[in-house]
Every structure is written in C-alpha cells, then in structure tokens.
C-alpha cells in the first residue's frame, strides 16, 4: 500500500510576498488563518518608499488574511480575491499552488 504524504509538511511550502502601502503608519501586521489571526501576527518591515513588506512560508491551499495597521483592521487594496467573514467585512484570500 502506498503511503500518503501530507502536502503541508516539508518542502511543499511556498514563499509568499505580502506588502501594504502605509507611509505614515507606525506598525503594520499581517494576520490570517496561518497565524491563528491575532495569536501570532507577523510584523511587516517598512521600506524607504513607505511600503511595508513580509515574506511568509505558506502551505498549498486557500488562505484568508488581513492587515492590522496601527491597531486598525485593513483590507489589502491589491488583493482582488475576497470572502465574507463573520464580522460583517471581508477577508482577503490567496491561493497557494
């Protein structure tokens, strides 16, 4: 019998780039199903151009995320793919192949 492999383990993870333009912000965090939302937020690093960046290793599949900018939940204006959430707003979605 062939052994099934888990696609979420090992080398199948893919680096995903996230960015958010907020030149006047003091902090930008990435939260999503891959961070257990606010339990393990990812701090983005601010570039000289005012764009905040983070590279994140994600397993294949659909992921939901949002940004927290200076404590306020924000949409990703660059993300066209969205899904309703239970709080009356939308989560951004990203499909990782």
């Amino acid at each position: 019998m062939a052994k099934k492999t888990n696609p979420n383990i090992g080398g199948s993870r893919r680096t995903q780039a996230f960015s958010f333009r907020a030149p006047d912000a003091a902090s930008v965090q990435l939260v999503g199903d891959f961070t257990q939302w606010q339990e393990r937020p990812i701090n983005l690093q601010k570039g000289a151009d005012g764009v905040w960046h983070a590279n994140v290793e994600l397993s294949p599949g659909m992921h939901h995320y949002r940004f927290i900018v200076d404590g306020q939940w924000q949409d990703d204006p660059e993300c066209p793919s969205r899904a309703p959430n239970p709080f009356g707003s939308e989560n951004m979605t990203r499909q990782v192949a």
Side-chain angles (χ1 to χ4, degrees):
M1 183 183 296
K3 183 178 179 182
K4 290 185 179 181
T5 58
N6 183 338
N8 298 325
I9 296 177
S12 65
R13 294 173 71 83
R14 304 281 188 254
T15 300
Q16 299 291 302
F18 290 87
S19 62
F20 191 89
R21 178 173 294 282
D24 298 325
S27 73
V28 177
Q29 295 179 310
L30 172 66
V31 296
D33 52 14
F34 47 90
T35 68
Q36 282 63 56
W37 295 97
Q38 288 179 278
E39 285 185 32
R40 294 192 332 252
I42 297 168
N43 294 313
L44 279 70
Q45 300 300 311
K46 187 177 185 179
D49 58 358
V51 178
W52 297 72
H53 301 274
N55 290 321
V56 180
E57 294 288 321
L58 295 179
S59 57
M62 181 67 70
H63 296 280
H64 291 230
Y65 72 96
R66 293 194 76 194
F67 291 105
I68 300 177
V69 180
D70 292 340
Q72 300 296 312
W73 291 84
Q74 299 288 325
D75 293 341
D76 181 350
E78 303 297 319
C79 181
S81 179
R82 299 168 186 231
N85 66 31
F87 304 104
S89 59
E90 295 178 315
N91 293 332
M92 311 307 103
T93 62
R94 182 174 294 196
Q95 179 69 42
V96 178

